[in-house]
Amino acid sequence: MASQERAERTRRRLLEAAAEELSQHGFDGTSLQRVCRAAGVTMGALTFHFSNKMSLADAVHAHGHALTRTMVTAVVTAGEGRDGDRGGDGTEGFTGKDTPRLRQVVGVTDGLTRLLREEPTVRAAARLSRDRTLKDGHWNDSWLPRVHELLELAHREGELRSGVNPHSVALLARLLISGLAASTEPDGETFDQLGAIWGLVLSGITGDDRGKPD
Protein backbone atom coordinates (compact mmCIF):
# COMPACT_ATOMS: atom_id res chain seq x y z
CA MET A 1 0.00 0.00 0.00
CA ALA A 2 2.81 2.42 0.89
CA SER A 3 4.47 1.67 -2.45
CA GLN A 4 1.21 2.33 -4.32
CA GLU A 5 0.65 5.64 -2.50
CA ARG A 6 4.23 6.68 -3.25
CA ALA A 7 3.71 5.89 -6.93
CA GLU A 8 0.50 7.95 -6.97
CA ARG A 9 2.27 10.90 -5.39
CA THR A 10 5.03 10.66 -7.97
CA ARG A 11 2.50 10.57 -10.79
CA ARG A 12 0.69 13.62 -9.43
CA ARG A 13 3.96 15.56 -9.13
CA LEU A 14 4.85 14.65 -12.71
CA LEU A 15 1.44 15.76 -13.98
CA GLU A 16 1.68 19.07 -12.10
CA ALA A 17 5.21 19.75 -13.34
CA ALA A 18 4.32 18.73 -16.89
CA ALA A 19 1.24 20.96 -16.87
CA GLU A 20 3.34 24.01 -16.00
CA GLU A 21 5.92 23.11 -18.63
CA LEU A 22 3.39 22.38 -21.37
CA SER A 23 1.33 25.49 -20.66
CA GLN A 24 4.40 27.69 -20.93
CA HIS A 25 6.35 26.02 -23.73
CA GLY A 26 3.85 23.94 -25.70
CA PHE A 27 4.42 20.35 -26.73
CA ASP A 28 7.46 20.86 -28.95
CA GLY A 29 9.19 23.16 -26.46
CA THR A 30 8.59 20.96 -23.43
CA SER A 31 11.66 19.32 -21.93
CA LEU A 32 11.21 16.07 -20.04
CA GLN A 33 14.43 16.84 -18.17
CA ARG A 34 12.90 20.09 -16.88
CA VAL A 35 9.73 18.22 -15.93
CA CYS A 36 11.76 15.71 -13.92
CA ARG A 37 13.70 18.45 -12.15
CA ALA A 38 10.53 20.35 -11.28
CA ALA A 39 8.86 17.17 -10.00
CA GLY A 40 11.96 16.07 -8.11
CA VAL A 41 12.10 12.65 -9.76
CA THR A 42 14.43 10.74 -12.06
CA MET A 43 13.86 10.14 -15.76
CA GLY A 44 13.40 6.47 -14.89
CA ALA A 45 10.50 7.38 -12.61
CA LEU A 46 8.92 9.43 -15.39
CA THR A 47 9.18 6.65 -17.96
CA PHE A 48 7.77 4.18 -15.43
CA HIS A 49 4.53 6.18 -15.43
CA PHE A 50 4.60 7.63 -18.96
CA SER A 51 6.31 5.89 -21.84
CA ASN A 52 7.06 9.09 -23.76
CA LYS A 53 6.27 12.79 -23.99
CA MET A 54 3.07 12.15 -25.93
CA SER A 55 1.62 9.85 -23.26
CA LEU A 56 2.47 12.46 -20.60
CA ALA A 57 0.83 15.19 -22.66
CA ASP A 58 -2.25 13.01 -23.19
CA ALA A 59 -2.59 12.53 -19.42
CA VAL A 60 -2.28 16.27 -18.72
CA HIS A 61 -4.75 17.04 -21.51
CA ALA A 62 -7.26 14.50 -20.18
CA HIS A 63 -7.04 15.96 -16.67
CA GLY A 64 -7.62 19.48 -18.01
CA HIS A 65 -10.63 18.24 -19.97
CA ALA A 66 -12.07 16.53 -16.89
CA LEU A 67 -11.70 19.61 -14.69
CA THR A 68 -13.40 21.74 -17.33
CA ARG A 69 -16.31 19.35 -17.84
CA THR A 70 -16.84 19.13 -14.07
CA MET A 71 -17.00 22.91 -13.77
CA VAL A 72 -19.46 23.24 -16.68
CA THR A 73 -21.74 20.59 -15.22
CA ALA A 74 -21.67 22.31 -11.81
CA VAL A 75 -22.59 25.70 -13.29
CA VAL A 76 -25.42 24.37 -15.44
CA THR A 77 -26.80 22.19 -12.65
CA ALA A 78 -26.81 25.13 -10.23
CA GLY A 79 -28.50 27.30 -12.84
CA GLU A 80 -31.26 24.74 -13.31
CA GLY A 81 -31.99 24.78 -9.58
CA ARG A 82 -30.84 21.22 -8.90
CA ASP A 83 -27.99 22.34 -6.64
CA GLY A 84 -28.47 25.08 -4.09
CA ASP A 85 -24.83 25.10 -2.95
CA ARG A 86 -23.10 28.02 -4.61
CA GLY A 87 -19.50 29.00 -4.93
CA GLY A 88 -16.18 27.62 -6.02
CA ASP A 89 -17.22 26.57 -9.51
CA GLY A 90 -18.04 29.83 -11.19
CA THR A 91 -21.64 29.59 -9.98
CA GLU A 92 -21.76 32.69 -7.79
CA GLY A 93 -24.88 34.70 -8.62
CA PHE A 94 -26.40 31.94 -10.77
CA THR A 95 -29.10 30.32 -8.64
CA GLY A 96 -32.65 29.07 -8.74
CA LYS A 97 -34.97 27.76 -11.39
CA ASP A 98 -35.52 31.27 -12.76
CA THR A 99 -31.87 31.67 -13.77
CA PRO A 100 -31.82 32.77 -17.39
CA ARG A 101 -29.86 30.69 -19.87
CA LEU A 102 -27.63 33.65 -20.62
CA ARG A 103 -26.62 33.82 -16.97
CA GLN A 104 -25.59 30.19 -17.24
CA VAL A 105 -23.45 31.03 -20.26
CA VAL A 106 -21.79 33.83 -18.31
CA GLY A 107 -21.32 31.42 -15.40
CA VAL A 108 -19.55 28.94 -17.69
CA THR A 109 -17.21 31.60 -19.06
CA ASP A 110 -16.53 32.87 -15.54
CA GLY A 111 -15.66 29.32 -14.54
CA LEU A 112 -13.39 28.92 -17.55
CA THR A 113 -11.65 32.15 -16.63
CA ARG A 114 -11.04 30.89 -13.11
CA LEU A 115 -9.71 27.56 -14.34
CA LEU A 116 -7.38 29.19 -16.85
CA ARG A 117 -6.10 31.48 -14.12
CA GLU A 118 -5.69 28.86 -11.40
CA GLU A 119 -5.25 25.42 -13.00
CA PRO A 120 -2.07 24.71 -15.00
CA THR A 121 -3.58 21.48 -16.38
CA VAL A 122 -6.43 23.47 -17.94
CA ARG A 123 -4.03 26.03 -19.42
CA ALA A 124 -1.94 23.14 -20.72
CA ALA A 125 -4.99 21.42 -22.24
CA ALA A 126 -5.90 24.63 -24.07
CA ARG A 127 -2.30 25.10 -25.26
CA LEU A 128 -1.97 21.49 -26.39
CA SER A 129 -5.21 21.80 -28.37
CA ARG A 130 -3.61 24.65 -30.29
CA ASP A 131 -0.39 22.71 -30.83
CA ARG A 132 -1.65 19.33 -32.02
CA THR A 133 -4.50 16.82 -32.04
CA LEU A 134 -4.66 14.62 -28.96
CA LYS A 135 -6.81 11.65 -27.96
CA ASP A 136 -9.46 13.65 -26.10
CA GLY A 137 -9.95 16.09 -28.96
CA HIS A 138 -9.88 19.86 -28.69
CA TRP A 139 -10.17 21.44 -25.26
CA ASN A 140 -13.09 23.53 -26.56
CA ASP A 141 -15.06 20.29 -26.87
CA SER A 142 -15.22 20.14 -23.07
CA TRP A 143 -17.32 23.31 -22.82
CA LEU A 144 -18.36 24.85 -26.15
CA PRO A 145 -21.12 22.33 -27.06
CA ARG A 146 -22.88 23.10 -23.76
CA VAL A 147 -22.62 26.84 -24.45
CA HIS A 148 -24.17 26.24 -27.89
CA GLU A 149 -26.98 24.28 -26.24
CA LEU A 150 -27.66 26.99 -23.66
CA LEU A 151 -27.73 29.71 -26.31
CA GLU A 152 -30.15 27.72 -28.46
CA LEU A 153 -32.40 27.39 -25.40
CA ALA A 154 -32.05 31.10 -24.70
CA HIS A 155 -33.12 31.80 -28.27
CA ARG A 156 -36.15 29.53 -28.05
CA GLU A 157 -37.16 30.87 -24.64
CA GLY A 158 -37.05 34.50 -25.79
CA GLU A 159 -33.97 35.64 -23.89
CA LEU A 160 -32.22 36.84 -27.05
CA ARG A 161 -33.27 40.01 -28.80
CA SER A 162 -34.99 39.48 -32.14
CA GLY A 163 -32.45 39.02 -34.92
CA VAL A 164 -29.63 37.83 -32.66
CA ASN A 165 -28.11 34.59 -33.92
CA PRO A 166 -27.18 32.21 -31.06
CA HIS A 167 -24.36 30.77 -33.17
CA SER A 168 -22.81 34.23 -33.42
CA VAL A 169 -22.94 34.62 -29.63
CA ALA A 170 -21.32 31.19 -29.23
CA LEU A 171 -18.59 32.25 -31.64
CA LEU A 172 -17.99 35.37 -29.56
CA ALA A 173 -17.71 33.25 -26.40
CA ARG A 174 -15.22 30.96 -28.13
CA LEU A 175 -13.11 33.88 -29.31
CA LEU A 176 -13.12 35.49 -25.85
CA ILE A 177 -12.03 32.29 -24.12
CA SER A 178 -9.48 31.47 -26.83
CA GLY A 179 -7.93 34.88 -26.31
CA LEU A 180 -7.71 34.29 -22.57
CA ALA A 181 -6.27 30.81 -23.08
CA ALA A 182 -3.57 32.22 -25.34
CA SER A 183 -2.59 34.90 -22.82
CA THR A 184 1.02 34.67 -21.68
CA GLU A 185 0.05 36.34 -18.36
CA PRO A 186 -2.66 34.18 -16.75
CA ASP A 187 -2.79 36.49 -13.72
CA GLY A 188 -2.98 39.67 -15.79
CA GLU A 189 -5.72 42.27 -16.04
CA THR A 190 -7.19 40.64 -19.17
CA PHE A 191 -8.93 38.02 -17.03
CA ASP A 192 -10.57 40.68 -14.89
CA GLN A 193 -12.20 42.31 -17.91
CA LEU A 194 -14.42 39.40 -18.94
CA GLY A 195 -17.33 40.51 -16.75
CA ALA A 196 -17.22 44.01 -18.20
CA ILE A 197 -17.12 42.60 -21.74
CA TRP A 198 -20.14 40.40 -21.07
CA GLY A 199 -21.97 43.39 -19.61
CA LEU A 200 -21.55 45.22 -22.91
CA VAL A 201 -22.50 42.18 -24.97
CA LEU A 202 -25.60 41.30 -22.98
CA SER A 203 -26.86 44.85 -23.08
CA GLY A 204 -26.96 44.49 -26.87
CA ILE A 205 -28.34 40.98 -27.30
CA THR A 206 -31.08 40.86 -24.64
CA GLY A 207 -34.39 42.62 -24.61
CA ASP A 208 -34.11 43.38 -20.88
CA ASP A 209 -31.55 43.03 -18.09
CA ARG A 210 -32.28 39.40 -17.18
CA GLY A 211 -28.93 38.08 -18.36
CA LYS A 212 -26.69 40.94 -17.27
CA PRO A 213 -24.09 40.31 -14.58
CA ASP A 214 -24.98 41.77 -11.19
Side-chain angles (χ1 to χ4, degrees):
M1 182 63 71
S3 176
Q4 183 178 355
E5 291 175 353
R6 186 163 55 249
E8 281 299 315
R9 287 196 299 270
T10 298
R11 189 177 190 277
R12 283 197 300 270
R13 290 203 305 272
L14 283 166
L15 287 174
E16 290 167 1
E20 290 284 4
E21 178 79 8
L22 288 162
S23 67
Q24 293 177 30
H25 302 289
F27 183 85
D28 291 335
T30 285
S31 162
L32 293 183
Q33 286 79 13
R34 286 198 300 264
V35 171
C36 287
R37 283 198 299 270
V41 304
T42 65
M43 184 62 71
L46 186 151
T47 56
F48 174 81
H49 291 279
F50 306 102
S51 58
N52 51 39
K53 185 162 72 170
M54 179 59 76
S55 66
L56 178 59
D58 277 332
V60 171
H61 194 254
H63 189 212
H65 259 251
L67 286 175
T68 305
R69 287 194 299 269
T70 297
M71 178 279 298
V72 171
T73 298
V75 170
V76 174
T77 299
E80 291 175 349
R82 292 196 297 264
D83 184 354
D85 183 18
R86 295 186 299 162
D89 293 300
T91 61
E92 295 84 349
F94 301 91
T95 60
K97 294 184 178 180
D98 294 330
T99 298
R101 303 299 182 179
L102 290 175
R103 282 186 176 271
Q104 291 176 285
V105 172
V106 175
V108 169
T109 60
D110 281 350
L112 292 169
T113 300
R114 179 182 60 80
L115 289 176
L116 288 168
R117 188 201 301 260
E118 299 175 1
E119 294 289 348
T121 52
V122 174
R123 292 199 300 275
R127 175 71 184 265
L128 286 166
S129 292
R130 299 196 303 272
D131 287 354
R132 58 183 56 232
T133 301
L134 296 177
K135 287 193 302 185
D136 285 321
H138 201 286
W139 175 68
N140 286 350
D141 296 338
S142 63
W143 63 272
L144 190 55
R146 185 58 68 92
V147 167
H148 271 286
E149 177 186 332
L150 290 170
L151 288 168
E152 287 289 352
L153 288 170
H155 178 64
R156 291 201 295 268
E157 294 170 8
E159 290 186 21
L160 296 181
R161 182 171 293 176
S162 177
V164 172
N165 187 330
H167 297 289
S168 297
V169 184
L171 174 60
L172 175 61
R174 180 175 67 80
L175 292 173
L176 285 173
I177 295 302
S178 294
L180 291 175
S183 173
T184 57
E185 298 180 359
D187 294 320
E189 292 184 2
T190 306
F191 283 97
D192 298 326
Q193 301 303 313
L194 187 62
I197 293 171
W198 271 121
L200 291 172
V201 171
L202 295 177
S203 67
I205 67 174
T206 58
D208 52 40
D209 62 357
R210 290 179 299 168
K212 298 175 185 176
D214 294 330

